[in-house]
Amino acid sequence: EAGVTQSPTHLIKTRGQQATLRCSPISGHTSVYWYQQALGLGLQFLLWYDEGEERNRGNFPPRFSGRQFPNYSSELNVNALELEDSALYLCASSSPDRNTEAFFGQGTRLTVV
Amino acid sequence: AQRVTQPEKLLSVFKGAPVELKCNYSYSGSPELFWYVQYSRQRLQLLLRHISRESIKGFTADLNKGETSFHLKKPFAQEEDSAMYYCALSSATDSWGKLQFGAGTQVVVTP
């Protein structure tokens, strides 16, 4: 069974540009979660999508946004990139059943120069 | 506010020695507690959760509500235990995918 896949693996953008990161959940999973792992800040919860709706967001500015498509894949968009947005962005997915673990992808390394 | 604290950034132990990774949390209510592990060049994966009271790869973790701790222990460390370990918390009303992570503890097991 394929795991959570994220693309691209690496992304280099210039300050002020927009970045789009993609995530495909495990087949049958309807929830997708996004996390940011910045140097020195650890893993921070960003967004949670379930059945196409945003369920919760972490303490991040509005320029961090995303969506979930009918096939449950998801995009994370970061507008007006800042140098401190450089981080590893992890996506995770979980099944519709309550209290099931989330499975993580390998991440997208975003570098803002 | 909920918070997860892992006081040790790095833990270096010899093979065969016991290892204990500390985790303290602050949360008003009954949280769900987890330990995640990330081996070199692998993705983050769930090691164990308190609700299961299980032992995985020789690791156990006991939830102490009085001390608000969820320390991870293994009596005899192996070289393959070298990895980054994260303690994480989820609210009882949230999905287990919405997690508050600690800063992580890097474990290095030397032969």
Side-chain angles (χ1 to χ4, degrees):
Chain A
E1 180 185 308
V4 177
T5 57
Q6 293 186 243
S7 63
T9 308
H10 294 87
L11 190 57
I12 300 175
K13 291 287 186 178
T14 304
R15 191 170 46 184
Q17 284 187 315
Q18 178 196 44
T20 299
L21 289 65
R22 296 180 177 82
C23 173
S24 291
I26 291 172
S27 177
H29 285 190
T30 59
S31 279
V32 170
Y33 313 84
W34 287 96
Y35 286 85
Q36 183 196 65
Q37 189 173 25
L39 203 60
L41 293 178
L43 279 153
Q44 307 281 329
F45 168 74
L46 249 172
L47 287 160
W48 169 18
Y49 290 97
D50 180 61
E51 295 285 359
E53 301 286 330
E54 181 181 301
R55 299 298 182 191
N56 210 312
R57 68 179 290 130
N59 188 25
F60 282 84
R63 56 191 187 80
F64 285 84
S65 65
R67 53 181 172 166
Q68 186 177 34
F69 300 98
N71 67 354
Y72 303 113
S73 67
S74 176
E75 267 182 8
L76 173 69
N77 294 295
V78 188
N79 293 319
L81 284 165
E82 300 178 2
L83 296 178
E84 49 265 34
D85 296 333
S86 295
L88 180 68
Y89 290 84
L90 292 179
C91 171
S93 73
S94 68
S95 80
D97 302 323
R98 184 168 170 72
N99 294 346
T100 57
E101 78 175 271
F103 293 83
F104 283 81
Q106 290 276 39
T108 293
R109 172 73 63 186
L110 173 63
T111 303
V112 183
V113 297
Chain B
Q2 57 191 42
R3 181 180 293 173
V4 179
T5 304
Q6 293 180 250
E8 305 123 338
K9 283 188 178 179
L10 174 66
L11 210 53
S12 185
V13 298
F14 287 107
K15 178 182 173 182
V19 60
E20 181 179 27
L21 287 75
K22 291 185 168 47
C23 172
N24 288 89
Y25 67 90
S26 62
Y27 181 79
S28 54
S30 294
E32 307 285 350
L33 274 299
F34 308 86
W35 277 99
Y36 276 80
V37 61
Q38 189 166 28
Y39 301 103
S40 180
R41 293 191 174 85
Q42 293 187 29
R43 57 190 67 194
L44 191 63
Q45 59 187 279
L46 179 65
L47 180 61
L48 54 78
R49 50 199 174 223
H50 92 271
I51 199 168
S52 305
R53 298 183 181 275
E54 56 202 342
S55 173
I56 303 290
K57 298 184 179 183
F59 284 98
T60 57
D62 290 320
L63 178 61
N64 185 323
K65 292 186 178 181
E67 296 181 358
T68 59
S69 68
F70 188 55
H71 303 329
L72 183 69
K73 302 175 186 179
K74 184 169 182 177
F76 308 103
Q78 302 300 313
E79 288 179 68
E80 54 265 29
D81 296 328
S82 295
M84 191 72 170
Y85 292 80
Y86 295 94
C87 182
L89 174 158
S90 177
S91 126
T93 56
D94 269 332
S95 161
W96 284 7
K98 181 177 178 289
L99 297 158
Q100 176 81 34
F101 283 93
T105 297
Q106 181 73 49
V107 172
V108 176
V109 182
T110 52

